[in-house]
Amino acid sequence: MATEITIPRIDVPFAPSRTNPSEGRLYPATLDWARRFGLVTTETAAGRLRRYQVDVMVSYYAPTVDGWPALRLFTDWMTWAALFEDQIDEATAGLRPGPLAPVLDDFRAVLLDESGSRARPNPATEALADLWRRTAGDGPPSWRRRFYEHMSEAFRCQLRASVHRATRTPMDVTTCRELRGQRPRQLPQGSRFRGDEQPGARPSDPAPICPQQAVDHVHRLITDRIQDFLKAGRELPGLARSLPLSDDDLSVAEQCLAHLRSLIRGSHDWHMN
């Protein structure tokens, strides 16, 4: 008999997501891109991509972006990530860390522009190379390196998660949050916006509990993090004045905060959709 659970409502106190006027054009364009690189080769695969609704996600995340190349690039990135994670989470790749490791190294080589290091190109690496060419552009070396390090860390976490799957070793809460919630490492020491957790500030891993208790525990963790975000937002103006920032810099900081609110609400609405 299936266990019935009740999923509590997640309170995200931000305005409902807006949609980008170009949303209707995004799926056909990204499907054409995915087919061109061999990421999607059958109608079944196209239907699966349709169910991901990456166009809706991008529309929620970037409701005010009016540049078509930027929207296309964002959508193609999300399509690549969705198809890659589909192979990790739903297919057998996530259960085979041995064969997965060299694939992830190939991805790293693409981002480092080590074009001669791949013996046998495949659709995923060729599509990633196209994305990186369109993304890196004239970006400074420091930005490209930071992007690479972030992606490399994400690949490391995927590989480590595959080891847990292959060995059927359940993750504890701390490990899961480490692997799924990476954050930049290069932040000023002592910054109130690092997100460092103080001892005792978070609930410890629960003992073996029933499914409903597990759901309720996760809900409390989500609620705590939203409250952390709200508190940080309230402290931002005071922090800006203490640095001190110029009016232009403060305006940019406030715009970034507003965009983060849109991302959080958009992620919530997309998942609930």
Side-chain angles (χ1 to χ4, degrees):
M1 179 180 296
T3 301
E4 292 187 2
I5 61 173
T6 300
I7 299 179
R9 178 179 179 272
I10 298 174
D11 183 19
V12 181
F14 307 133
S17 297
R18 294 178 293 165
T19 58
N20 192 289
S22 297
E23 177 186 321
R25 301 166 56 197
L26 291 175
Y27 172 72
T30 200
L31 176 61
D32 178 71
W33 176 82
R35 281 176 165 158
R36 179 156 49 91
F37 283 94
L39 298 174
V40 170
T41 59
T42 66
E43 289 306 312
T44 299
R48 189 161 56 245
L49 177 60
R50 172 73 278 182
R51 290 193 296 274
Y52 293 154
Q53 298 190 75
V54 292
D55 51 334
V56 177
M57 181 193 301
V58 170
S59 180
Y60 283 167
Y61 283 3
T64 60
V65 173
D66 58 4
W68 179 243
L71 280 172
R72 276 291 317 278
L73 178 59
F74 190 6
T75 311
D76 292 347
W77 264 113
M78 298 307 295
T79 294
W80 185 89
L83 294 173
F84 168 60
E85 290 191 358
D86 183 46
Q87 292 297 310
I88 295 293
D89 295 336
E90 305 296 337
T92 61
L95 297 172
R96 303 166 62 200
L100 178 61
V103 173
L104 298 178
D105 285 340
D106 284 347
F107 293 166
R108 291 185 176 94
V110 169
L111 298 177
L112 289 174
D113 294 325
E114 296 175 348
S115 58
S117 65
R118 300 193 308 278
R120 293 189 303 272
N122 61 66
T125 55
E126 293 300 295
L128 181 60
D130 175 73
L131 290 171
W132 187 230
R133 176 186 58 77
R134 294 156 60 195
T135 301
D138 297 324
S142 60
W143 179 88
R144 294 198 299 270
R145 183 69 192 182
R146 188 168 72 247
F147 187 97
Y148 164 78
E149 290 175 350
H150 179 78
M151 292 294 290
S152 181
E153 177 69 6
F155 297 151
R156 182 193 70 82
C157 291
Q158 288 281 13
L159 183 61
R160 186 172 167 192
S162 75
V163 173
H164 279 268
R165 294 189 186 97
T167 59
R168 297 187 177 183
T169 306
M171 293 185 196
D172 55 31
V173 174
T174 301
T175 301
C176 183
R177 289 166 65 179
E178 176 191 347
L179 299 187
R180 301 295 289 185
Q182 313 98 341
R183 58 177 171 254
R185 296 179 177 180
Q186 296 180 345
L187 289 173
Q189 293 294 327
S191 170
R192 285 180 288 170
F193 289 80
R194 284 181 60 88
D196 293 334
E197 297 175 2
Q198 301 300 320
R202 298 288 174 211
S204 59
D205 289 350
I209 55 178
C210 73
Q212 184 63 57
Q213 290 173 313
V215 169
D216 293 340
H217 178 77
V218 172
H219 183 262
R220 286 193 296 272
L221 294 177
I222 294 171
T223 299
D224 286 348
R225 293 305 281 170
I226 291 176
Q227 292 304 313
D228 289 344
F229 179 83
L230 294 172
K231 181 175 182 291
R234 291 192 296 269
E235 293 177 350
L236 180 61
L239 177 64
R241 287 192 296 271
S242 69
L243 288 177
L245 296 179
S246 68
D247 290 343
D248 288 343
D249 289 339
L250 178 57
S251 176
V252 170
E254 290 173 342
Q255 291 173 26
C256 289
L257 179 59
H259 186 56
L260 286 173
R261 293 190 185 107
S262 295
L263 288 173
I264 294 172
R265 181 60 191 247
S267 178
H268 170 273
D269 292 351
W270 176 77
H271 281 89
M272 297 305 294
N273 194 15

